[in-house]
Amino acid sequence: MTLAAPETTKGQVLRSLRDAISSLKETTATCCNAIQENSDLHEAFLVVSRHLPCLLNTFTTIETHLKSQTEEIPEIKEMYPDIRLVADEYRNPVRSIEDLFESVKGVKGEERTKRYRAAVQECNDRKVEGVMLDLLERAIDIAQAPLVSDEQIEQLRNALAEIRKLPPSLEDVTTGGFTMINHGSGNQFYHGGKGSMNYSSGGLMVTGDNHNAHYSYSAGPNSTTQS
């Protein structure tokens, strides 16, 4: 016997919206302060900061509309599961936006790039503009009349278009790596670190950093391939 999925209630939707709005308020304030204190940030940070209030306004308007309903409208009730899902999934990416802004505050030059790169890695390799793109797309999915105005929908779409045109806030750096192949019967030694290499009487020996390396060593019946 398959049980029917529980119905999403207005109360559940409102609680999810409340939490999302709270996160958006805190993040918007943090990001605006970061822009004021660091006017030389990459353009992506400036654009993201400018459009965060639009997201906050959208969710607040949806919450206000639902609270003002004296009775539930079937068409809007059908949207409850989607609204709740989006609101519940909003908190983590909103927090990521805040973390990315925090990483570039009060530092400049190479140190800023280093800290921002580390923060991007912590955010599943998503830069600030990428996280904002996701937030806008999710908001557009639930920003529908009569919950929000046509003007608000247009603002979200314009923000999305602007974010998509941004140059990357961080250039992707591919770790070099290397490949060593030995098809003969000789030895294969590699030293990727500093200092001296230990003595070896033959075979395959690797010393130091071998990140993203691939070795193919053939020495008769004892050939080996390692990555």
Side-chain angles (χ1 to χ4, degrees):
M1 178 179 179
T2 303
L3 298 177
E7 185 180 78
T8 302
T9 66
K10 181 194 284 189
Q12 290 173 323
V13 176
L14 288 173
R15 284 191 291 274
S16 295
L17 285 170
R18 178 195 62 199
D19 292 341
I21 290 169
S22 176
S23 296
L24 279 168
K25 284 181 178 178
E26 293 178 6
T27 297
T28 299
T30 297
C31 296
C32 288
N33 289 336
I35 293 299
Q36 292 175 358
E37 297 172 6
N38 303 267
S39 58
D40 61 338
L41 291 176
H42 187 279
E43 180 186 4
F45 289 91
L46 304 178
V47 174
V48 168
S49 176
R50 187 166 67 245
H51 291 306
L52 279 171
C54 179
L55 290 175
L56 176 58
N57 185 40
T58 298
F59 278 78
T60 302
T61 301
I62 293 174
E63 180 191 45
T64 301
H65 186 94
L66 293 181
K67 284 182 175 180
S68 67
Q69 288 181 341
T70 56
E71 59 182 50
E72 293 184 317
I73 300 172
E75 292 78 10
I76 294 180
K77 190 174 181 180
E78 289 179 0
M79 298 175 63
Y80 284 177
D82 290 338
I83 297 173
R84 185 188 183 195
L85 178 62
V86 169
D88 284 343
E89 293 181 345
Y90 232 63
R91 282 169 288 178
N92 284 339
V94 167
R95 190 176 298 114
S96 293
I97 290 279
E98 189 168 2
D99 290 341
L100 292 168
F101 268 79
E102 286 283 356
S103 73
V104 298
K105 286 177 58 178
V107 289
K108 296 181 182 295
E110 292 183 3
E111 181 61 23
R112 174 181 289 175
T113 301
K114 179 181 177 181
R115 287 179 52 179
Y116 180 50
R117 188 180 301 281
V120 168
Q121 292 174 345
E122 288 291 326
C123 295
N124 297 318
D125 292 327
R126 293 196 302 170
K127 308 178 188 72
V128 68
E129 65 272 20
V131 181
M132 187 62 174
L133 187 70
D134 179 47
L135 290 175
L136 285 165
E137 289 175 339
R138 290 171 187 253
I140 289 173
D141 285 340
I142 61 172
Q144 301 179 29
L147 296 175
V148 296
S149 67
D150 292 340
E151 181 181 358
Q152 287 174 302
I153 296 173
E154 186 66 18
Q155 287 176 347
L156 289 172
R157 290 174 177 168
N158 290 339
L160 186 65
E162 187 174 5
I163 292 291
R164 283 176 171 162
K165 294 178 181 178
L166 284 171
S169 58
L170 182 69
E171 294 297 332
D172 293 325
V173 177
T174 303
T175 305
F178 51 88
T179 299
M180 295 178 65
I181 301 175
N182 184 338
H183 294 294
S185 60
N187 301 324
Q188 181 167 296
F189 302 150
Y190 170 72
H191 188 348
K194 298 179 179 180
S196 59
M197 177 181 285
N198 296 328
Y199 172 77
S200 174
S201 60
L204 173 68
M205 183 176 74
V206 177
T207 303
D209 183 12
N210 65 334
H211 184 62
N212 282 353
H214 179 82
Y215 310 95
S216 181
Y217 173 71
S218 298
N222 297 320
S223 62
T224 182
T225 298
Q226 298 186 16
S227 297

